[in-house]
Amino acid sequence: MKKTITIIGSGFAAMAASCYLAKSGHEVTVYEKNDSIGGRARQLKRDGFTFDMGPSWYWMPDVFDRFFADFGKTTADYYELVKLSPAYSVYFGVNEFIAIADNLAEIEATFEAIEKGSGAVLNNFISEAKSNYDIAIKDLVYRPGVSPLELVTPETAMKVGQFFSTISRDVRKKFKNERLIQILEFPVLFLGAKPSDTPSFYSFMNYADFGLGTWHPKTGMFDVVRAMESLALELGVTFKTNSNIEKILVENKTAKSIVVNGETIASDLILSGADYHHTETLLDQEHRAYSEKYWDSRVFAPSSLLFYVGFNKKIENISHHALFFDVDFYQHAKDIYDEPQWPKEPLFYANFPSLTDKTAAPEGMESGFFLIPLAPGIQDTSVLREEYFNKIIDRFETLTQQSVKNNILFKQSFCKNDFVSAYNSYKGNAYGMANTLLQTAFLRPKLKSKKVKNLYFTGQLTVPGPGVPPALISGKLVSDLINKQFSDQ
């Protein structure tokens, strides 16, 4: 039976859900508080420069393929992908960097040249990681986190030890060179937790990195947003921007309507792809499933200080993605997770999309995106932003052996306070709730409200977790639960 469904937010999870629910015949309307869709994956255009404001890594292409295949489509129907070569570079000092190739054979050769015998060890490590990937990404993450039994399969039973060891411990058993260790620990940072707190089973992220490679939609990650919007519109979804949700109204423990910009709009079912904690604050206290104490006790992924920078010249000695690990990797992690504070010497990431996409900057110029991971809930001031920009741009000049400060046409920052104001993000986190052992699968906040009928959630604070591919999967999982509810009525 056709139902009217209200979706709050237009991030990847919400848009994926909108497509699945519209395909099932429901009347779906998406309400977005900002003036453009995409959630954290919005686009910034300024003075002829174009920036992806949030996600910039396109990993796990098979998950995107699977999403579009569910609608009889392919990614190529909507956007073109470029495989990056090198995938990324990691800077450890002046003239000291490691470029990660776009294929495993060359990566193994790079490892072997740095640590004798490590090439063969890496091959075995990635084989195991691929096995985990096949179990996790092709099966386990497509389960809705309703029961712990979802994790019990013949395949996971053979890997139970990997849930009680950590990425950091396993990598250090196999490799001795500290730089190779940091490169292997890096991918799990996408899961929002320290490598020392992330179960070994999550080595599947290393296969996503070395085995599947790093891709880039031809004109940026916003290509994916446009693609999903096009698909949703084809399926009959309606989008309404500048639509701030002020309240979710509940009658007889059933979600009945939302208040949008002062107007009450009735609906058969409400699905929130907005921040989970914020969404519950739209409910009266008695209808909230999780207390403030619960949220405060969770391990959240970092916030970020971002800079979108327009340069009036081409930047040298750099790759599309670049990681700057020339300072203490583990001290920065402590400053995020253990003793939250602004790091004295921050790691940072830089992204130069105009190296791949000529439309990202005017001819002869460069668009640059810089990111410093920070503890969520941290103090955020304009003075601190400026101080930290100067810290990283000084190091960037030294490490890439060029002067760039005088070539900056503009820089625009985005930090914790902006994550709160733009996305209602809990403590200004950038990636959601970390995927630690005690925050995995059925231990995460539920897709279906435990207290209010016809109220569901999707996105990075629920199942399966942080990242763009998991967001697409989250949209599918919640739509399956919703359709099951309607079919059972």
Side-chain angles (χ1 to χ4, degrees):
M1 183 184 296
K2 183 177 181 178
K3 302 286 186 179
T4 58
I5 296 177
T6 290
I7 298 183
I8 304 172
S10 65
F12 284 117
M15 290 183 69
S18 77
C19 292
Y20 285 111
L21 292 168
K23 180 188 175 187
S24 298
H26 304 301
E27 183 182 319
V28 180
T29 303
V30 176
Y31 294 88
E32 167 57 52
K33 76 183 286 284
N34 293 306
D35 60 7
S36 64
I37 65 166
R40 293 164 201 244
R42 291 183 299 158
Q43 193 177 60
L44 170 66
K45 287 182 176 287
R46 179 170 170 178
D47 301 341
F49 293 82
T50 303
F51 305 88
D52 286 316
M53 292 189 69
S56 58
W57 294 75
Y58 192 103
W59 273 8
M60 303 183 187
D62 52 317
V63 174
F64 294 85
D65 293 342
R66 183 166 171 176
F67 169 76
F68 285 103
D70 284 344
F71 302 91
K73 305 285 188 177
T74 68
T75 56
D77 292 331
Y78 297 99
Y79 55 89
E80 181 182 338
L81 285 173
V82 178
K83 192 174 190 183
L84 298 181
S85 180
Y88 55 91
S89 298
V90 187
Y91 290 75
F92 296 98
V94 177
N95 289 324
E96 296 179 46
F97 69 92
I98 297 174
I100 301 301
D102 65 351
N103 63 89
L104 184 56
E106 286 188 55
I107 299 170
E108 288 173 11
T110 297
F111 271 54
E112 184 66 26
I114 295 169
E115 180 182 316
K116 189 171 177 57
S118 66
V121 175
L122 179 64
N123 185 281
N124 291 333
F125 179 74
I126 297 299
S127 292
E128 179 71 19
K130 181 181 185 303
S131 171
N132 290 353
Y133 189 92
D134 289 342
I135 294 168
I137 304 302
K138 296 180 181 179
D139 182 17
L140 290 185
V141 295
Y142 285 91
R143 301 183 182 198
V146 173
S147 164
L149 295 178
E150 292 172 8
L151 298 179
V152 181
T153 70
E155 292 80 14
T156 57
M158 296 174 64
K159 294 176 179 285
V160 67
Q162 293 189 33
F163 288 93
F164 297 99
S165 184
T166 68
I167 288 287
S168 186
R169 192 179 306 155
D170 277 15
V171 166
R172 289 175 180 278
K173 285 179 184 175
K174 295 175 171 64
F175 302 90
K176 302 305 177 192
N177 183 278
E178 193 62 36
R179 293 177 177 181
L180 299 184
I181 288 169
Q182 288 181 20
I183 289 171
L184 287 167
E185 289 182 333
F186 147 69
V188 302
L189 298 179
F190 284 106
L191 302 171
K194 291 192 298 183
S196 57
D197 290 336
T198 304
S200 301
F201 184 73
Y202 283 98
S203 67
F204 64 72
M205 293 295 293
N206 294 107
Y207 175 71
D209 180 1
F210 290 175
L212 296 175
T214 301
W215 301 76
H216 185 70
K218 189 174 181 181
T219 59
M221 287 293 288
F222 200 70
D223 284 0
V224 185
V225 175
R226 288 195 195 95
M228 295 180 72
E229 178 189 28
S230 294
L231 175 60
L233 291 172
E234 291 170 37
L235 293 164
V237 175
T238 299
F239 289 91
K240 294 183 180 292
T241 55
N242 296 307
S243 298
N244 184 45
I245 311 301
E246 297 157 353
K247 187 79 175 173
I248 298 174
L249 300 177
V250 177
E251 298 175 20
N252 298 322
K253 298 183 179 180
T254 302
K256 290 291 189 180
S257 56
I258 56 171
V259 179
V260 187
N261 296 336
E263 179 185 0
T264 300
I265 299 172
S267 179
D268 292 319
L269 184 139
I270 296 166
L271 166 61
S272 179
D275 179 274
Y276 204 125
H277 168 269
H278 170 73
T279 303
E280 286 217 313
T281 68
L282 302 176
L283 297 162
D284 289 336
Q285 187 74 47
E286 67 267 26
H287 301 311
R288 300 173 192 174
Y290 300 98
S291 66
E292 289 298 321
K293 183 178 178 182
Y294 168 85
W295 291 113
D296 193 53
S297 70
R298 299 301 88 184
V299 178
F300 275 81
S303 185
S304 295
L305 171 55
L306 307 169
F307 294 98
Y308 312 101
V309 185
F311 295 94
N312 67 4
K313 71 170 186 178
K314 301 304 289 183
I315 305 299
E316 301 173 349
N317 307 325
I318 199 69
S319 58
H320 184 116
H321 294 297
L323 305 168
F324 291 84
F325 287 0
D326 55 309
V327 297
D328 191 331
F329 184 100
Y330 304 102
Q331 182 58 50
H332 191 153
K334 286 180 184 177
D335 292 340
I336 294 173
Y337 295 104
D338 301 334
E339 299 170 6
Q341 60 185 303
W342 282 81
K344 289 186 176 62
E345 296 294 339
L347 303 169
F348 68 98
Y349 155 68
N351 168 24
F352 291 88
S354 47
L355 292 176
T356 305
D357 169 18
K358 302 309 177 189
T359 70
E363 187 174 354
M365 302 185 188
E366 208 86 86
S367 59
F369 169 111
F370 295 82
L371 181 154
I372 302 173
L374 296 172
I378 204 164
Q379 181 189 25
D380 172 16
T381 68
S382 58
V383 172
L384 282 165
R385 295 187 191 197
E386 188 67 19
E387 176 188 342
Y388 276 78
F389 181 77
N390 290 329
K391 277 179 185 276
I392 64 171
I393 208 69
D394 285 345
R395 280 168 46 206
F396 180 83
E397 288 188 323
T398 299
L399 293 166
T400 62
Q401 299 180 284
Q402 64 192 309
S403 173
V404 300
K405 274 188 280 191
N406 293 334
N407 299 101
I408 294 173
L409 295 172
F410 66 84
K411 71 176 186 292
Q412 187 165 322
S413 65
F414 196 97
C415 196
K416 188 267 289 186
N417 291 347
D418 301 301
F419 280 100
V420 173
S421 63
Y423 311 126
N424 296 308
S425 172
Y426 183 71
K427 293 185 177 180
N429 79 82
Y431 309 111
M433 188 183 288
N435 257 341
T436 61
L437 180 61
L438 297 178
Q439 294 182 174
T440 294
F442 66 95
L443 296 173
R444 298 180 70 80
K446 302 301 182 186
L447 292 164
K448 182 178 182 179
S449 172
K450 295 187 289 185
K451 286 196 171 184
V452 179
K453 187 179 178 183
N454 292 349
L455 176 62
Y456 288 78
F457 299 84
T458 189
Q460 57 191 5
L461 266 66
T462 181
V463 180
V468 178
L472 300 183
I473 295 166
S474 187
K476 177 177 175 58
L477 293 176
V478 75
S479 60
D480 287 346
L481 286 181
I482 291 169
N483 282 325
K484 183 177 186 303
Q485 174 186 315
F486 288 148
S487 67
D488 289 345
Q489 289 176 349

